[in-house]
Amino acid sequence: MTNTTLVDRALIRLSGEDVRGFLQGLVTNDVSGNLPVWSALLTPQGKALFDFLIWGDGDDLLIDCERDAAGDLARRLTLYRLRRAIAIEREADLCVHWTREGGDLGVVDPRLSGLGQRWLAPADGDEGADAAWKAHRLSLGVTEGRAELGDGTTLWLECNAAELNGVSFTKGCYVGQENTARMNWRQKVNRRLVVVPIAQADEKRQVIAWPDLGWSVEHRRTEAIDPATAPEWMREALTPDPSS
């Protein structure tokens, strides 16, 4: 069987007193219902600090995040914990797994079905599936992680959070909610992250380049993104509403 472990991902376990209620007041998505969901922790201004998937494990929650950001994310969550009886610890026994194939393995990625399927299980070897995952993800125009989303520099809706199911507009307050909700209701998402072929790169708009894969991640004004070449999941957001 092909190795499926995403070595560049880590899991943070939250256990103890009402962990769903704790995260519900912090993150962008609704964790009170079915999991996993894609979500983020924002600055008060609504800019992305960390993005992650949230899984349920009995009464506990597991945060599926990039390995290099796990320590910083755990420390930030600890600051918000205050006196709650909640443990925030790295999960050592489980890893994140991925396959682009269908079948019975895992669940469909909540962002986009084309991303494939994910599940949590012990590691299946030292060599990970990270390179295949990254190439597949970028080919679908999906960005993630601090290198692509920015480290507190990009508004969450500019990260295509609404189109990729990364935000709830009905769940109530969370950090950065006010500006995020205002942008949504006023339809004021003027810029977006977009993945373009490296040959079409605009260095002034470039967030990061992946030349080995042939892609450039850019923060472009919406009018500079051609709907005809944008990912299918983004096209409706780029098409003006004739009734407005």
Side-chain angles (χ1 to χ4, degrees):
M1 179 178 176
T2 304
N3 193 299
T4 59
T5 304
L6 295 181
V7 178
D8 292 339
R9 304 294 289 182
L11 292 166
I12 300 172
R13 181 177 291 275
L14 277 67
S15 57
E17 178 187 304
D18 188 21
V19 291
R20 288 203 185 213
F22 169 63
L23 273 194
Q24 186 77 341
L26 292 179
V27 303
T28 61
N29 219 330
D30 189 346
V31 301
S32 65
N34 294 330
L35 300 176
V37 295
W38 185 49
S39 192
L41 185 62
L42 310 181
T43 69
Q45 295 75 35
K47 296 181 178 182
L49 287 171
F50 306 95
D51 76 300
F52 37 79
L53 281 79
I54 303 171
W55 300 75
D57 184 21
D59 292 333
D60 295 355
L61 292 177
L62 289 164
I63 298 179
D64 163 2
C65 62
E66 56 179 334
R67 180 172 294 277
D68 290 346
D72 291 339
L73 175 55
R75 284 187 286 274
R76 180 62 65 102
L77 291 173
T78 299
L79 289 175
Y80 285 117
R81 179 182 59 184
L82 300 176
R83 296 181 179 273
R84 291 181 187 237
I86 293 174
I88 301 171
E89 302 171 324
R90 289 283 289 272
E91 169 57 56
D93 295 331
L94 297 174
C95 295
V96 180
H97 293 259
W98 165 80
T99 178
R100 63 180 296 176
E101 309 299 331
D104 298 329
L105 291 172
V107 298
V108 174
D109 193 299
R111 288 167 285 189
L112 188 70
S113 61
L115 285 172
Q117 300 192 191
R118 295 168 85 95
W119 67 97
L120 307 181
D124 59 7
D126 295 329
E127 183 180 349
D130 302 88
W133 159 247
K134 184 177 177 181
H136 182 60
R137 173 176 60 79
L138 290 170
S139 74
L140 296 176
V142 177
T143 54
E144 70 175 18
R146 292 190 291 189
E148 295 174 6
L149 305 187
D151 189 358
T153 59
T154 311
L155 291 162
W156 185 227
L157 294 190
E158 295 178 347
C159 300
N160 304 304
E163 292 71 30
L164 294 172
N165 306 310
V167 59
S168 168
F169 296 110
T170 60
K171 58 165 283 190
C173 294
Y174 55 87
V175 178
Q177 182 265 345
E178 184 176 358
N179 196 32
T180 303
R182 185 185 303 116
M183 286 178 64
N184 178 62
W185 300 127
R186 294 182 179 178
Q187 298 184 338
K188 290 291 186 181
V189 184
N190 296 323
R191 294 175 176 81
R192 290 184 179 273
L193 290 177
V194 63
V195 182
V196 300
I198 199 87
Q200 301 172 17
D202 180 348
E203 292 186 2
K204 293 182 179 179
R205 302 288 177 255
Q206 191 174 78
V207 178
I208 191 169
W210 302 115
D212 56 324
L213 298 174
W215 297 110
S216 174
V217 176
E218 306 193 356
H219 191 212
R220 292 188 175 186
R221 295 193 65 85
T222 53
E223 61 265 27
I225 304 171
D226 182 359
T229 60
E232 184 176 354
W233 56 262
M234 188 189 291
R235 289 174 192 166
E236 183 176 350
L238 297 175
T239 304
D241 184 350
S243 64
S244 62

